[in-house]
């Protein structure tokens, strides 16, 4: 019995352009982009550390350095071990 697929299936890559198929069988075009190294995000007067791999968010802080240290400490215990997830979104500038 075949194991059901849960993640994307990669078909082709040319440079930074990638063709993938999602779990529902929809083929999608993606562009690979390097994400910035900043591991904090602002929310009003507060800053919090966050992880791009597992969606972890740290406590809200007023000091950016503390929020950055929270995020750096999280890397060691991250269940995704710092791997970046593949996300696909609608791009209104691309024709169908």
């Amino acid at each position: 019995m075949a194991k059901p697929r849960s993640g994307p299936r990669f078909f082709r890559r040319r440079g930074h352009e990638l063709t993938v198929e999602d779990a529902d069988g929809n083929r999608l075009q993606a562009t690979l982009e390097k994400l910035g190294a900043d591991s904090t995000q602002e929310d009003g007067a507060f800053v919090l550390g966050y992880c791009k791999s597992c969606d972890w968010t740290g406590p809200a802080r007023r000091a950016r350095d503390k929020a950055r240290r929270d995020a750096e400490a999280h890397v060691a215990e991250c269940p995704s071990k710092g791997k970046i997830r593949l996300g696909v979104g609608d791009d209104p500038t691309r024709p169908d």
Side-chain angles (χ1 to χ4, degrees):
M1 187 168 176
K3 183 178 172 183
R5 253 185 331 109
S6 61
R9 181 174 169 203
F10 296 90
F11 283 101
R12 156 178 76 228
R13 178 176 175 195
R14 172 175 265 165
H16 295 325
E17 297 298 316
L18 182 68
T19 303
V20 296
E21 182 178 276
D22 66 13
D24 296 327
N26 302 313
R27 286 195 181 195
L28 307 164
Q29 291 296 118
T31 301
L32 300 175
E33 297 177 6
K34 185 172 183 165
L35 297 175
D38 187 23
S39 56
T40 61
Q41 62 186 31
E42 294 188 23
D43 186 11
F46 295 95
V47 178
L48 37 93
Y50 77 101
C51 179
K52 296 172 187 168
S53 291
C54 69
D55 286 338
W56 168 87
T57 55
R61 307 271 192 191
R62 290 199 183 268
R64 284 180 177 79
D65 286 344
K66 282 187 177 182
R68 201 169 289 118
R69 284 194 301 265
D70 290 342
E72 289 169 0
H74 166 76
V75 171
E77 59 194 42
C78 178
S80 298
K81 300 299 178 208
K83 295 178 182 174
I84 301 298
R85 295 181 311 179
L86 176 68
V88 178
D90 294 332
D91 183 353
T93 63
R94 289 191 122 169
D96 287 338

